[in-house]
Amino acid sequence: MEGERDLKLRPIGFIVSPYKTMEEAPRQGFLSRQPSRIVIYEAYRKGLDGIKAGMELDVLYWMDRAERERLYSEGKGRGVFLTRSPHRPNPIGVSTVKVLEVGDGEVVVRGLDAIDGTPVLDIKPAIKG
Amino acid sequence: MEGERDLKLRPIGFIVSPYKTMEEAPRQGFLSRQPSRIVIYEAYRKGLDGIKAGMELDVLYWMDRAERERLYSEGKGRGVFLTRSPHRPNPIGVSTVKVLEVGDGEVVVRGLDAIDGTPVLDIKPAIKG
């Protein structure tokens, strides 16, 4: 709480997706059957060390076309924190994906609902429920 | 990719936790047995509408004491994107928690490994695996 903090995100890469608009994208990542590519910028590629086909990962991305002022979903009749809508104060998407293939500085995955060009923020190994 | 983007986070609240340092905190949220409180700033409280005891939520928070330059874990012998360590380019933590109680502008939960004072970025309903 004390003083200034660096709350600025550093995109580590971007998503190459068959979904070009928010309308085309599936409502949630787990509904996505089409593969997407996660391209990681050169400066961050060392962080991918060890990622292999078959692994489950959590991918965090920045839904940069979202509206950030919305706090309530009229359609759903509940607060935005009880929805997974992209429109929220910090439009960070989280999808659990399956790795199909690992390339040079990129990872091909299934299970991502993010649209083409979406900045990627983080990748973590998924926790099995 | 084109032009400037607003990649600045807006904390929606903070965590009141029994864990005061990174050393005291459990390694992962699901290992945490002690309840934590998520206090939401007045301006964002409308977003909590509908949250009830018993629900499972994903909580996203900003691990502001993390080092952001680390890309490789020497200890684990793999890239940071294959660890859930707080030390990573965008130190965003994600924990799935259970709601124990809902108060006025706050939510008491179990399953959070974040330390006391950690800024909260987002809350979403968890997806059941």
Side-chain angles (χ1 to χ4, degrees), chain B residues 57-88:
Chain B
L57 303 174
D58 287 340
V59 179
L60 279 64
Y61 46 94
W62 186 251
M63 300 178 285
D64 55 344
R65 266 152 275 194
E67 290 168 35
R68 302 183 64 177
E69 312 306 327
R70 216 177 290 178
L71 286 177
Y72 192 80
S73 165
E74 299 293 343
K76 294 183 170 158
R78 53 185 192 250
V80 284
F81 301 135
L82 210 46
T83 78
R84 293 183 72 100
S85 158
H87 307 294
R88 50 205 313 116

Side-chain angles (χ1 to χ4, degrees), chain A residues 1 5-10 47 49 58 64 68 71 79 81 84 88 90 92 121-125, chain B residues 1 5-10 47 49 58 64 68 79 81 84 88 90 92 117 121-125:
Chain A
M1 311 295 91
R5 281 220 198 77
D6 178 17
L7 287 162
K8 196 101 192 274
L9 297 164
R10 305 175 185 170
D49 243 61
D58 287 340
D64 55 344
R68 303 184 64 178
L71 286 177
F81 301 135
R84 293 183 73 101
R88 50 203 314 116
N90 294 296
I92 301 169
L121 302 176
D122 200 8
I123 300 175
K124 306 178 193 286
Chain B
M1 315 294 95
R5 282 220 198 78
D6 178 15
L7 288 162
K8 197 101 191 271
L9 296 164
R10 305 174 185 169
D49 242 62
D58 287 340
D64 55 344
R68 302 183 64 177
F81 301 135
R84 293 183 72 100
R88 50 205 313 116
N90 294 296
I92 301 169
L121 301 176
D122 200 9
I123 299 175
K124 308 176 191 286

